[in-house]
């Protein structure tokens, strides 16, 4: 054999061996962290034997002798499957992403250090009910058992970034909880966007952007925000949501329930779709937990030890976003840079200050000073901020603070613990009273045939002005007086029509004595679900079909306006005439291959631009559209108001 050929064969053989070796190494790197799903594992700290069965979908069913072992095993199993996701969650809230992700995330660390969610979690832990602390302690013990026994076998992301997970503390679960609450709250986004808009359009135009379904009961604040300033802050939060696949504020949520009179089975049926953005890994983690006195199945959040949406032996429940307005911005007057103080009711009060060190990679760091008033943290320092108050003759720089119910003490762990173990509506309601943030609507059914719906959340009762805009923090006229009592929040119990629907619609009419929000979705989803539930008898299979329904009431409304405007115009070109034919024959089902659907959607995109951009400009319009709920609702109001 010629030498050249021998050399080529040798090289090829060497490359083959190298390729096989690399493939084996990469396979090991990826699979070494896969969970053990058979056999026995010795875990210290258990009082008895824990059995974990994974079904054909990989869903764990955990059975333990007591609550301590159940929570420990839950933490262990969450860490088996989602340790990387859990570590990222807590790092977001701690403002410690840049330690492992370097400079790209410094801006996010500045945001969450300023919000102080990790500090809030420390305070929350101290104020928790002893049962809640016990649950979180046991859960953290399980996570740490996994971390301690799997050194060298962590998920591949830890290897790629060359670091190891730290010990899990109970406070970290509270961080995860508050981060989710922050992501599900968009009242603050709307406040800032409306603040931008109010500075650009006359008052009579601005009022047309507010919901006609809500009784304000207060004056509209006469504060103005400089456009570019708050756009920068909004862009930062949008960048965070995009970076972590949280998505825009445009998703809603659905839940509905029928009682035994409408059910083929003779028992209530409940459906829920919280509409959290589909991501990898998913926000949800499905599991089944069993111990004496506790048998619950549903979906949990990795990092939190309880079932969020699910069912037990007696009840089933789900949640939709209540769209409550539970935060406000205050424009503060800072008196001095050297000895910071702020004006309030004619007095000078000290500004609270703390220094935060953000570490970047292994060797770099940046220090930031976080300022706070009694309202909350000064968020305008994250980006340069210049804000003017109407009729203020000065152009001095103002500072903006954020007050949010998520900064206050509560015990959602105790609430979900009670929900998980509830045997009836009385116990369920006791759990709901603990759920203060984010504001939610809870849908309920039980084996006795009862159905119900509650509003949960801490809703401020404000002072002089409506919370639609940022408020003047100096006068004391716009302080939170107290909170709407839980017993006075909207509620429905066993309605005569035999069903309840929740789809982010207004929760109460204009006769309701308290201000709740201006953030509602249009009524179309709510009305479509009611239409589907109009059948005399309904099965679980029907519910599955309802969940996949794509009929669009909003699209139908738009199509009606288009047809009305163009039908009698003889000057229409052939394209418009053809479009009208498509719309007249449309079944109002929004599908990817449907021409009429395309016409309506493209029309809506251009309608928003043509209606708003001349007054708002492209940047503020972009902010307005990012939370599509107001854009949808307002546009429909303008279309139906002939005098707009």
């Amino acid at each position: 054999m010629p030498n050249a050929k021998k050399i080529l064969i040798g090289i090829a053989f060497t490359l083959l061996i190298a390729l096989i070796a690399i493939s084996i190494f990469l396979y090991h790197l990826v699979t070494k962290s896969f969970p053990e799903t058979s056999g026995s594992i010795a875990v210290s700290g258990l009082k008895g034997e824990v059995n974990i069965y994974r079904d054909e979908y990989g869903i764990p069913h955990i059975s333990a002798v007591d609550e301590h072992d159940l929570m420990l095993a839950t933490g262990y199993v969450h860490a088996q499957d989602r340790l990387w996701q859990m570590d990222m969650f807590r790092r977001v809230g701690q403002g410690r992403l840049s330690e492992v992700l370097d400079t790209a995330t410094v801006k996010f660390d500045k945001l969450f250090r300023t919000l102080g969610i990790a500090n809030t979690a420390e305070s929350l832990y101290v104020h928790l009910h002893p049962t809640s602390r016990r649950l979180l302690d046991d859960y953290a013990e399980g996570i740490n058992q996994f971390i301690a026994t799997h050194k060298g076998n962590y998920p591949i992301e830890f290897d790629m970034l060359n670091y190891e997970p730290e010990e899990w503390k109970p406070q970290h679960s509270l961080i995860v909880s508050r981060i989710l609450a922050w992501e599900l709250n968009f009242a603050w986004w709307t406040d800032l966007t409306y603040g931008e808009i109010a500075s650009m359009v006359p008052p009579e135009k601005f009022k047309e952007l507010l919901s006609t379904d809500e009784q304000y009961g207060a004056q509209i604040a006469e504060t103005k925000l400089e456009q570019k300033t708050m756009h920068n802050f909004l862009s930062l939060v949008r960048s965070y949501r995009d970076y972590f696949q949280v998505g825009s504020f445009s998703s809603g949520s659905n839940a509905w329930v029928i009682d035994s009179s409408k059910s083929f089975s003779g028992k209530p049926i409940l459906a829920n779709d919280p509409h959290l953005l589909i991501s990898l890994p998913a926000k949800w983690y499905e599991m089944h937990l069993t111990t004496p006195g506790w048998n619950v199945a549903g979906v949990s959040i990795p990092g939190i030890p309880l079932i969020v949406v699910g069912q037990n032996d007696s009840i089933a429940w789900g949640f939709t976003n209540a769209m409550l307005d539970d935060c406000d911005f205050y424009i503060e007057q800072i008196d001095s840079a050297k000895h910071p103080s702020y004006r309030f009711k004619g007095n000078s009060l000290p500004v609270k200050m703390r220094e935060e060190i953000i570490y970047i990679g292994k060797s770099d760091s940046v220090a930031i000073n976080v300022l706070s008033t009694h309202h909350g943290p000064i968020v305008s320092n994250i980006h340069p901020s210049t804000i003017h108050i109407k009729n203020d003759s000065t152009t001095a720089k103002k500072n903006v603070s954020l007050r949010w119910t998520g900064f206050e003490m509560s015990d959602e762990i105790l609430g979900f613990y009670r929900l998980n173990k509830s045997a009836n509506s009385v116990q369920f309601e006791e759990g709901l009273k603990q759920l203060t943030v984010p504001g939610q609507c809870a849908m309920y059914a039980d084996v006795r045939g009862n159905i119900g719906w509650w509003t949960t959340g801490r809703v401020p009762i404000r002072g002089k002005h409506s919370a639609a805009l940022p408020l003047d923090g100096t006068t004391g006229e716009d302080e939170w007086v107290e909170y709407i009592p839980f017993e006075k929040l909207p509620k429905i119990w066993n309605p005569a029509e035999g069903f309840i629907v929740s789809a982010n619609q207004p929760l109460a009419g204009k006769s309701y004595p308290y201000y709740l929000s201006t953030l509602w979705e249009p009524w179309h989803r709510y009305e479509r679900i009611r239409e589907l539930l109009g059948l005399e008898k309904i099965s679980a299979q029907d519910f599955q079909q309802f969940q996949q329904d794509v009929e669009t009431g909003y699209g139908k409304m738009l199509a009606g306006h288009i047809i009305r405007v163009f039908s009698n115009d003889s000057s229409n070109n052939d394209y418009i005439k053809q479009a009208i034919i498509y719309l007249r024959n449309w079944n109002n089902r929004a599908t990817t291959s449907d021409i009429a659907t395309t016409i309506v959607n493209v029309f809506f995109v251009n309608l928003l631009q043509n209606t708003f951009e001349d007054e708002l400009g492209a940047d503020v319009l972009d902010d307005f559209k990012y939370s599509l709920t107001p854009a949808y609702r307002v546009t429909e109001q303008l279309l139906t108001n002939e005098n707009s």
Side-chain angles (χ1 to χ4, degrees):
M1 179 182 298
N3 287 337
K5 190 173 184 180
K6 288 181 180 180
I7 292 172
L8 288 174
I9 292 174
I11 293 173
F13 183 74
T14 302
L15 290 174
L16 178 61
I17 296 298
L19 182 61
I20 293 172
I22 292 171
S23 298
I24 293 172
F25 172 74
L26 292 175
Y27 179 80
H28 169 73
L29 199 62
V30 172
T31 61
K32 64 184 175 67
S33 64
F34 283 11
E36 300 172 64
T37 58
S38 61
S40 299
I41 303 173
V43 177
S44 64
L46 293 174
K47 298 178 181 178
E49 185 176 87
V50 175
N51 291 302
I52 301 174
Y53 160 70
R54 290 185 181 251
D55 62 24
E56 60 184 313
Y57 299 105
I59 297 168
H61 302 252
I62 305 174
S63 176
V65 297
D66 65 9
E67 289 185 359
H68 167 272
D69 285 7
L70 185 65
M71 290 294 94
L72 190 151
T74 300
Y76 190 94
V77 169
H78 270 171
Q80 272 189 316
D81 289 350
R82 301 289 188 88
L83 183 59
W84 165 255
Q85 180 185 25
M86 293 159 62
D87 190 65
M88 283 294 103
F89 257 136
R90 65 173 167 177
R91 283 187 176 276
V92 167
Q94 291 173 318
R96 295 181 57 200
L97 290 167
S98 302
E99 294 175 19
V100 297
L101 297 178
D102 213 62
T103 56
T105 54
V106 170
K107 57 186 177 181
F108 306 143
D109 287 342
K110 288 182 178 180
L111 171 64
F112 287 102
R113 294 291 184 98
T114 301
L115 295 176
I117 287 178
N119 297 331
T120 300
E122 293 289 341
S123 298
L124 285 170
Y125 184 74
V126 173
H127 288 86
L128 291 180
H129 189 281
T131 297
S132 301
R133 285 201 298 271
R134 171 176 57 82
L135 294 168
L136 292 181
D137 290 347
D138 295 342
Y139 177 73
E141 185 180 354
I143 297 171
N144 290 327
Q145 281 291 320
F146 179 84
I147 292 173
T149 56
H150 285 73
K151 186 177 177 64
N153 291 301
Y154 301 131
I156 188 174
E157 292 90 346
F158 291 102
D159 296 314
M160 294 171 67
L161 294 173
N162 191 30
Y163 82 102
E164 293 187 351
E166 298 175 359
E167 181 183 77
W168 188 272
K169 297 179 180 179
Q171 294 89 331
H172 296 162
S173 293
L174 300 172
I175 289 175
V176 172
S177 175
R178 279 300 192 263
I179 285 294
L180 287 170
W182 170 259
E183 290 178 355
L184 291 172
N185 179 321
F186 58 90
W188 64 268
W189 180 281
T190 305
D191 285 358
L192 291 184
T193 305
Y194 277 175
E196 292 180 308
I197 295 173
S199 70
M200 306 175 73
V201 302
E204 61 273 13
K205 278 194 174 185
F206 176 74
K207 290 180 180 179
E208 290 192 65
L209 303 183
L210 301 176
S211 172
T212 56
D213 292 307
E214 187 64 36
Q215 175 61 265
Y216 290 94
Q219 300 176 31
I220 300 298
E222 294 186 341
T223 51
K224 291 188 176 185
L225 301 182
E226 184 180 289
Q227 172 197 343
K228 182 175 175 52
T229 296
M230 301 324 294
H231 176 71
N232 288 339
F233 180 77
L234 294 170
S235 295
L236 170 61
V237 179
R238 181 190 304 196
S239 177
Y240 160 76
R241 296 180 71 89
D242 293 342
Y243 191 90
F244 286 99
Q245 305 177 51
V246 179
S248 69
F249 294 100
S250 59
S251 62
S253 43
N254 298 327
W256 60 84
V257 62
I258 60 172
D259 66 18
S260 53
S261 69
K262 292 184 68 68
S263 169
F264 276 113
S265 67
K267 294 290 183 182
I269 309 175
L270 185 149
N272 182 208
D273 180 1
H275 286 191
L276 295 191
L277 191 73
I278 296 173
S279 61
L280 288 175
K283 280 283 197 297
W284 297 115
Y285 184 98
E286 192 170 359
M287 62 195 320
H288 174 202
L289 308 176
T290 303
T291 194
W294 194 354
N295 182 34
V296 62
V299 289
S300 63
I301 299 289
I304 305 173
L306 299 161
I307 299 300
V308 178
V309 174
Q311 64 185 58
N312 60 28
D313 293 333
S314 302
I315 70 166
W317 74 94
F319 289 103
T320 60
N321 197 325
M323 320 295 277
L324 300 177
D325 189 347
D326 56 6
C327 64
D328 284 324
F329 288 93
Y330 288 89
I331 299 173
E332 310 282 9
Q333 183 179 332
I334 305 296
D335 284 344
S336 169
K338 292 183 178 179
H339 303 286
S341 59
Y342 66 101
R343 303 295 296 173
F344 182 67
K345 291 185 176 180
N347 298 312
S348 183
L349 303 179
V351 173
K352 293 181 180 179
M353 297 182 62
R354 72 174 190 273
E355 185 182 61
E356 296 276 354
I357 307 296
I358 299 171
Y359 293 97
I360 307 168
K362 303 294 185 183
S363 58
D364 201 2
S365 66
V366 61
I368 63 170
N369 288 319
V370 178
L371 310 181
S372 299
T373 71
H374 72 282
H375 295 124
I378 302 291
V379 296
S380 51
N381 286 349
I382 304 175
H383 277 283
S385 180
T386 306
I387 298 171
H388 305 285
I389 300 177
K390 188 176 181 180
N391 298 326
D392 187 354
S393 60
T394 70
T395 57
K397 176 182 174 181
K398 308 293 182 182
N399 291 270
V400 184
S401 63
L402 170 63
R403 184 167 188 183
W404 174 44
T405 57
F407 296 144
E408 302 181 15
M409 297 301 99
S410 59
D411 195 346
E412 281 74 22
I413 298 299
L414 181 64
F416 279 108
Y417 174 73
R418 289 175 174 172
L419 262 57
N420 280 211
K421 299 187 69 173
S422 294
N424 53 54
S425 62
V426 174
Q427 295 175 0
F428 185 77
E429 190 172 76
E430 286 302 307
L432 292 180
K433 290 178 181 178
Q434 303 296 327
L435 308 185
T436 65
V437 58
Q440 297 286 289
C441 294
M443 195 69 76
Y444 169 93
D446 65 34
V447 294
R448 298 172 184 83
N450 297 303
I451 62 173
W453 172 91
W454 288 262
T455 305
T456 74
R458 190 173 281 161
V459 188
I461 298 175
R462 272 94 171 179
K464 180 178 179 181
H465 293 106
S466 165
L469 292 172
L471 304 167
D472 188 336
T474 67
T475 65
E477 295 180 340
D478 297 311
E479 299 301 292
W480 292 3
V481 180
E482 54 183 327
Y483 299 102
I484 301 175
F486 175 84
E487 294 75 16
K488 294 186 178 181
L489 291 171
K491 172 185 174 181
I492 300 173
W493 181 253
N494 285 334
E497 59 188 348
F499 65 87
I500 307 171
V501 176
S502 184
N504 314 124
Q505 78 280 358
L507 305 184
K510 292 185 178 181
S511 62
Y512 185 70
Y514 301 105
Y515 166 76
L516 292 170
S517 183
T518 62
L519 310 171
W520 316 115
E521 291 269 2
W523 287 92
H524 302 287
R525 274 191 298 126
Y526 174 84
E527 292 170 344
R528 175 57 177 164
I529 297 168
R530 288 185 59 87
E531 179 183 348
L532 292 169
L533 297 180
L535 298 173
E536 183 177 351
K537 292 287 184 180
I538 304 173
S539 68
Q541 290 72 32
D542 292 326
F543 268 35
Q544 292 173 5
Q545 293 299 315
F546 296 168
Q547 289 279 23
Q548 303 300 318
D549 183 73
V550 294
E551 184 164 319
T552 165
Y554 197 89
K556 179 180 180 181
M557 177 273 299
L558 285 176
H561 282 290
I562 298 171
I563 292 170
R564 177 177 59 84
V565 169
F566 286 103
S567 288
N568 298 322
D569 190 344
S570 60
S571 65
N572 290 336
N573 63 37
D574 290 341
Y575 288 110
I576 292 177
K577 292 177 181 177
Q578 188 66 38
I580 297 300
I581 293 173
Y582 277 116
L583 294 180
R584 285 188 182 280
N585 291 283
W586 190 30
N587 60 7
N588 305 315
R589 292 174 57 81
T591 60
T592 57
S593 59
D594 181 68
I595 294 176
T597 301
T598 304
I599 294 171
V600 168
N601 280 307
V602 173
F603 172 82
F604 179 63
V605 169
N606 284 275
L607 179 65
L608 288 178
Q609 181 174 337
N610 294 339
T611 302
F612 297 108
E613 188 171 17
D614 55 337
E615 283 100 349
L616 305 185
D619 287 344
V620 175
L621 175 57
D622 207 30
D623 289 341
F624 186 54
K625 291 190 298 182
Y626 194 72
S627 174
L628 264 179
T629 295
Y632 273 118
R633 188 193 65 244
V634 167
T635 302
E636 182 173 8
Q637 288 177 188
L638 297 179
L639 285 171
T640 55
N641 179 8
E642 295 293 339
N643 297 318
S644 171

